[in-house]
Amino acid sequence: MSEQRSSEEKNADNKASDQSIRYVNLYETPDKIYTRRITGFFQNIRRYTGLPLIAAYLLLPWLVIDGRPAVLFDLPARKFHVLWMTFWPQDFMLLAWLLIISAFSLFTVTVLLGRVWCGFTCPQTVWTMMFMSVEHIVEGDRNKRIKLDRQGWTFEKISKKTVKHSLWILIGFITGATFIGYFVPIRELLAGLIPFRNDLGMLQIGVSPVAAFWTLFFTTMTYLNAGWMREQVCKYMCPYARFQSVMYDSDTLAVHYDPKRGERRGTRKPTDDYKAKGLGDCIDCSWCVQVCPVDIDIRDGLQYDCINCGLCVDACNAVMDKMKYPRGLIRFTSEDELKTGKTRFIRPRLFGYSFAVLAMISAFSYVLLSRTALSVDVIRDRGARLYRIAGDQVQNVYTIKINNMDDEPHEYSIELDGKYPFELRNYRPMRIEAGEVFTLPLRISIPRSELNTEKAKLKFIVTAQDDPELQAVETTNFIGPAVKKRR
Amino acid sequence: MSTFWSLWIIVLTVVCLALVTWVLFANRKVAVSDDEEPENRTTGHVYDGIEEYDNPLPRWWFNLFVATLVFTVAYLIWFPGLGAWKGIGGWTQENQLEAEQGKALEEYKSSYDVYSQMSIEELVHDGKAMKMATRLFANNCAVCHGADGGGNFSFPNLTDNDWLYGGSPEAIKHTLTQGRNGNMPPWGPILGEQKVAQVSEYVLKLSSQDYDLKLATEGESVFSQNCAACHGAEGKGMHALGAPNLTDNIWLYDGSREGIIHSVRMGLNNHMPAQKDLLREEKIHLLTAYVYSLSFEYE
């Protein structure tokens, strides 16, 4: 109801003199949400899943393996270093598999437990929680915050707000710098962000302007997202939020209010015999609304904004304990359970998604384990002629790209394999450095008398001379002069 | 860009921007009739009994629109976009290119400096230098001379030890730096068809192909009077002029009877562009070594 009142206040000034028509704003600022702080089972889970994730996020860029960062997405060099492995653009398939695995895992979890990803582990939620804690520590609890916002700009208000926003920006900066630390070695980044005077007396920074810009960008975005946008992101922007709702069925565990137990709502003393008054267990204290980060009333039933974070469950259980009523008036349960008292966990959907996850994990593992650190590409020379005749020889020219994805330099030998006695003319084994891509021309020739076709298959077998395991095969065509058809 | 087109673009851009801004701001309010609460209005869409509220849009969305407009204005002031307006940021395509080139130069300067000090002979045996040169060749020369330097119709083969202008490192470097203009005058109008046919037959004989004895014998005197000045008395060619050797059956153009007749009749013009303004000294030095090394037999 409070929402409607405030909207009317907003629209009061929009009333035109005309009695039948009035104008309202097409765009509205949503009401600010003041959440009451609550502790309990689910809040603890949120806290203790969030902390290790944040710790991992913050610490990973600082880890060093073999003298280079453990995780580094080196965009200029187009190489992704993850722990002991180096990924190349050619390995993009792996990223696709990984994303598909993540997607199907999300589906599986959603079918079982509803939007728990949103409520418990989503970065948007975790960072919002952090920012809310800062708010709570600096400005006090819900009632104090409301009062603070309503009063004029006193010294106390200005100082509190300044401290709060400074802390927010600081957290934002740590987040942003850490994020860019995955792309630029973080020690260099932090050292390079400090401005210094160069020889000309101008201020400059050591890192590239691009890195500085993105650090600033993510700082700002973190500050805006977790400080100002918060639930707006989940309600209006997030695509996952939209399609997770689609995976709900009547057996999905989600936060529900049990109307059978709760209705009729009403205030009472703990000592009253409320059942005689015809009241249910809900004492209408509105705690469940006050703690809700997306500002909904769960007692109206399941809504699309609900992120399944369980805070209202904690709040209601705390009240029930005080009233000495049994817990679970608001609880994680399913529609079916509310109706029939039973939840069917085993259902085809779950099997389908689980199978998909397993299949994708197998595919991912297979691709990951079967990678060779060598890739070869053969391109026919895009010259004017398809083939060249030199004396009694037919020649084709190819450019071969040898990409040494190993951490060691290698010399590679090239062998030919085909139906015809092709000969490789101008190749000297070359030392190719670790991580180097080298392109070199190859001339393949064959006596004209040996070739009785216009197009022959030809295999290039490239092998590292010091490691026969390191081998790649590429097939291409050899084009020869037209063969005179026998009449 | 002429003044008219510059104005044309400016007017179009500014008017469009103003229109978009007007549309955005003019539609900030919607009319509702008094008899319904705006909170309970629906869009009228019903799907399976589910109705859609016609709630106001979030304010930040409007603000995002405004932000894009502000960005547009700032961009058009900073960068060249409005007709002939240069932008106050001083950005030009050429500037950016030069900056990037400067960076690349900085990056490779050290290795180029080392290689510039080395002789061609030393470079040929330096694996790293040869790799660099291979890349340079692929980027700058392979388009005409083939990826392997094996040549194409009218583009010389660089791998066969037959040189038009000489195969010493100095000659190769001269070719790369200054370019070459090979030019044989059209002999058709001067000699007449009869003599062209005769001398072409003689050239067939020189290059040990099948020839007509009578014509070739007549062609020999035509050759020594008109062609020997450049191609030499024996037809062995002359490096000073880039006149090809006619006796080795290596042909830049078509070496068949028809092809030779055509070449003699119409003359030929060959042009190797000078690289001195396109490639820097250091690169030419490396490429010289590479081209020089191509004519060795690697087995």
Side-chain angles (χ1 to χ4, degrees):
Chain A
M1 289 300 111
S2 62
E3 200 176 320
Q4 287 190 14
R5 247 203 327 280
S6 59
S7 309
E8 269 180 35
E9 279 167 26
K10 275 183 206 161
N11 290 324
D13 55 341
N14 296 321
K15 285 194 182 173
S17 52
D18 194 329
Q19 279 301 302
S20 60
I21 296 277
R22 53 204 180 104
Y23 290 91
V24 293
N25 279 329
L26 180 59
Y27 305 96
E28 261 186 18
T29 315
D31 296 333
K32 196 167 168 187
I33 301 174
Y34 298 94
T35 53
R36 174 187 285 277
R37 198 179 174 78
I38 191 79
T39 51
F41 178 70
F42 290 107
Q43 178 63 346
N44 283 341
I45 293 185
R46 272 156 61 93
R47 215 169 269 162
Y48 298 124
T49 49
L51 279 176
L53 288 173
I54 290 183
Y57 168 77
L58 290 176
L59 295 177
L60 256 185
W62 294 92
L63 268 187
V64 173
I65 294 180
D66 304 339
R68 60 165 178 74
V71 178
L72 181 66
F73 304 124
D74 193 347
L75 293 181
R78 293 183 186 79
K79 283 177 211 166
F80 286 10
H81 303 289
V82 179
L83 302 178
W84 289 269
M85 289 170 290
T86 300
F87 295 100
W88 288 64
Q90 292 88 323
D91 299 318
F92 226 76
M93 234 11 233
L94 282 169
L95 184 63
W97 292 127
L98 194 64
L99 290 173
I100 297 173
I101 291 170
S102 307
F104 276 116
S105 309
L106 183 75
F107 300 166
T108 314
V109 169
T110 308
V111 165
L112 266 183
L113 305 171
R115 285 175 63 178
V116 285
W117 163 260
C118 301
F120 289 79
T121 39
C122 175
Q124 178 69 26
T125 301
V126 174
W127 259 262
T128 303
M129 261 171 77
M130 258 196 280
F131 275 46
M132 279 179 177
S133 306
V134 170
E135 211 164 30
H136 179 87
I137 290 163
V138 175
E139 296 182 356
D141 199 8
R142 183 168 187 268
N143 298 335
K144 280 193 186 155
R145 290 209 299 275
I146 296 175
K147 233 169 73 189
L148 190 73
D149 279 9
R150 291 213 174 140
Q151 69 189 56
W153 286 98
T154 60
F155 173 74
E156 180 210 24
K157 182 169 175 175
I158 292 171
S159 58
K160 275 185 179 173
K161 291 278 175 196
T162 311
V163 170
K164 181 180 85 170
H165 287 286
S166 313
L167 283 172
W168 278 4
I169 289 169
L170 178 69
I171 296 177
F173 175 74
I174 293 170
T175 309
T178 305
F179 188 78
I180 301 304
Y182 282 88
F183 297 86
V184 179
I186 194 156
R187 290 170 180 81
E188 289 172 32
L189 178 75
L190 292 180
L193 280 173
I194 301 162
F196 62 94
R197 289 203 183 281
N198 63 9
D199 310 340
L200 303 170
M202 285 162 68
L203 278 180
Q204 78 173 86
I205 47 172
V207 286
S208 73
V210 180
F213 168 79
W214 285 112
T215 308
L216 206 66
F217 175 85
F218 282 107
T219 302
T220 318
M221 281 299 151
T222 307
Y223 168 76
L224 290 177
N225 255 344
W228 296 90
M229 298 303 290
R230 293 190 179 172
E231 80 291 340
Q232 301 282 312
V233 174
C234 314
K235 277 169 142 177
Y236 301 113
M237 301 183 196
C238 178
Y240 298 104
R242 291 292 138 277
F243 70 70
Q244 279 192 81
S245 317
V246 176
M247 290 153 214
Y248 274 57
D249 58 19
S250 52
D251 290 306
T252 301
L253 286 189
V255 175
H256 284 279
Y257 161 75
D258 189 344
K260 280 193 208 140
R261 241 189 84 186
E263 299 300 317
R264 282 172 37 222
R265 305 169 199 174
T267 49
R268 76 293 301 268
K269 293 198 184 74
T271 50
D272 284 354
D273 181 7
Y274 63 98
K275 287 200 169 121
K277 289 187 181 175
L279 291 174
D281 282 359
C282 174
I283 66 164
D284 214 1
C285 64
S286 82
W287 270 38
C288 54
V289 181
Q290 293 176 23
V291 298
C292 180
V294 294
D295 203 26
I296 56 171
D297 189 342
I298 193 67
R299 294 171 301 175
D300 295 343
L302 187 61
Q303 287 145 77
Y304 87 96
D305 334 42
C306 174
I307 56 169
N308 252 10
C309 64
L311 286 182
C312 49
V313 181
D314 285 340
C316 193
N317 282 345
V319 174
M320 292 293 113
D321 289 352
K322 275 190 190 142
M323 297 297 291
K324 307 259 184 334
Y325 296 165
R327 289 181 155 214
L329 175 59
I330 301 177
R331 64 183 185 275
F332 270 87
T333 178
S334 66
E335 276 184 35
D336 264 13
E337 194 169 336
L338 287 175
K339 282 198 195 109
T340 64
K342 267 214 177 67
T343 302
R344 288 186 311 123
F345 282 112
I346 309 297
R347 45 200 198 269
R349 239 183 226 234
L350 186 67
F351 276 114
Y353 286 138
S354 312
F355 176 75
V357 173
L358 285 176
M360 291 301 150
I361 288 178
S362 325
F364 178 79
S365 314
Y366 172 75
V367 175
L368 190 65
L369 295 171
S370 63
R371 291 194 316 153
T372 47
L374 169 69
S375 82
V376 169
D377 235 344
V378 177
I379 308 160
R380 284 180 44 85
D381 187 26
R382 293 173 288 238
R385 296 166 171 177
L386 287 171
Y387 57 88
R388 193 186 291 147
I389 304 278
D392 62 340
Q393 301 271 323
V394 183
Q395 294 180 345
N396 274 211
V397 178
Y398 302 87
T399 43
I400 186 165
K401 269 189 180 170
I402 302 178
N403 181 356
N404 177 10
M405 299 191 276
D406 207 24
D407 296 332
E408 303 287 325
H410 291 287
E411 288 208 349
Y412 293 98
S413 58
I414 300 179
E415 280 156 30
L416 300 178
D417 181 25
K419 230 171 85 175
Y420 300 93
F422 294 113
E423 247 187 282
L424 179 60
R425 277 302 171 85
N426 61 335
Y427 178 71
R428 310 168 272 181
M430 276 207 181
R431 188 183 138 102
I432 300 190
E433 303 299 329
E436 188 185 20
V437 185
F438 191 62
T439 310
L440 72 162
L442 295 180
R443 191 181 320 139
I444 311 291
S445 70
I446 183 168
R448 225 174 142 162
S449 52
E450 298 275 3
L451 191 71
N452 56 12
T453 173
E454 294 158 27
K455 195 170 165 184
K457 282 249 173 294
L458 166 64
K459 264 190 194 155
F460 287 84
I461 303 163
V462 181
T463 320
Q465 290 186 335
D466 52 358
D467 180 6
E469 288 290 296
L470 207 54
Q471 187 176 71
V473 179
E474 189 70 21
T475 309
T476 179
N477 289 318
F478 187 98
I479 310 258
V483 178
K484 294 196 176 63
K485 296 242 172 14
R486 292 205 188 95
R487 296 248 163 106
Chain B
M1 198 182 307
S2 67
T3 317
F4 169 76
W5 286 118
S6 173
L7 281 171
W8 173 261
I9 292 168
I10 291 172
V11 169
L12 266 184
T13 311
V14 172
V15 167
C16 276
L17 203 59
L19 270 178
V20 170
T21 313
W22 175 79
V23 166
L24 181 63
F25 279 86
N27 289 308
R28 265 182 315 170
K29 300 214 186 300
V30 284
V32 292
S33 55
D34 221 6
D35 51 14
E36 52 180 344
E37 284 295 314
E39 288 76 29
N40 300 332
R41 279 190 323 142
T42 60
T43 53
H45 305 162
V46 180
Y47 306 100
D48 298 343
I50 299 169
E51 291 178 85
E52 192 182 357
Y53 275 127
D54 189 8
N55 282 332
L57 301 166
R59 176 83 199 183
W60 53 258
W61 207 4
F62 179 81
N63 294 345
L64 277 184
F65 277 128
V66 176
T68 56
L69 292 171
V70 172
F71 176 82
T72 308
V73 173
Y75 183 95
L76 287 175
I77 292 171
W78 188 257
F79 286 108
L82 280 177
W85 170 252
K86 291 273 177 289
I88 59 172
W91 178 93
T92 61
Q93 297 179 61
E94 294 77 12
N95 275 356
Q96 189 166 357
L97 178 69
E98 275 164 25
E100 298 288 333
Q101 282 174 333
K103 265 189 224 161
L105 199 65
E106 203 58 41
E107 192 174 341
Y108 296 114
K109 197 173 176 340
S110 55
S111 41
Y112 277 131
D113 283 351
V114 171
Y115 297 141
S116 299
Q117 302 306 316
M118 290 161 74
S119 73
I120 300 290
E121 303 287 346
E122 284 171 325
L123 283 178
V124 168
H125 297 293
D126 184 314
K128 265 197 161 150
M130 280 295 100
K131 263 174 147 178
M132 214 155 161
T134 307
R135 291 196 175 106
L136 284 171
F137 188 88
N139 286 333
N140 297 293
C141 322
V143 177
C144 301
H145 291 282
D148 62 338
N152 257 323
F153 185 82
S154 89
F155 298 104
N157 182 343
L158 308 173
T159 64
D160 58 2
N161 242 332
D162 171 53
W163 300 94
L164 291 169
Y165 294 92
S168 68
E170 294 72 31
I172 294 171
K173 195 167 214 171
H174 186 274
T175 303
L176 285 171
T177 316
Q178 306 297 337
R180 297 284 187 186
N181 279 306
N183 160 332
M184 164 159 128
W187 288 97
I190 303 169
L191 300 174
E193 271 317 291
Q194 173 81 21
K195 284 185 174 175
V196 168
Q198 290 166 346
V199 82
S200 300
E201 211 62 31
Y202 178 67
V203 173
L204 281 175
K205 180 185 173 184
L206 280 179
S207 54
S208 10
Q209 302 185 66
D210 298 339
Y211 61 97
D212 179 296
L213 185 62
K214 180 175 168 293
L215 277 175
T217 317
E218 290 161 345
E220 187 167 2
S221 61
V222 180
F223 184 90
S224 56
Q225 283 164 28
N226 301 291
C227 317
C230 299
H231 289 280
E234 295 170 5
K236 294 263 189 208
M238 197 184 293
H239 284 171
L241 296 167
N245 181 346
L246 302 173
T247 64
D248 56 5
N249 209 8
I250 295 174
W251 298 100
L252 192 50
Y253 291 84
D254 185 356
S256 66
R257 177 176 285 112
E258 300 75 33
I260 295 171
I261 290 177
H262 184 272
S263 294
V264 174
R265 186 193 300 141
M266 311 301 280
L268 292 168
N269 256 311
N270 245 12
H271 176 64
M272 154 92 191
Q275 303 295 317
K276 64 173 185 292
D277 300 328
L278 305 171
L279 297 172
R280 291 193 328 281
E281 193 74 37
E282 304 91 323
K283 289 186 180 174
I284 289 177
H285 191 64
L286 274 172
L287 281 169
T288 304
Y290 183 76
V291 173
Y292 182 60
S293 76
L294 280 181
S295 51
F296 305 168
E297 269 302 324
Y298 301 117
E299 288 304 339

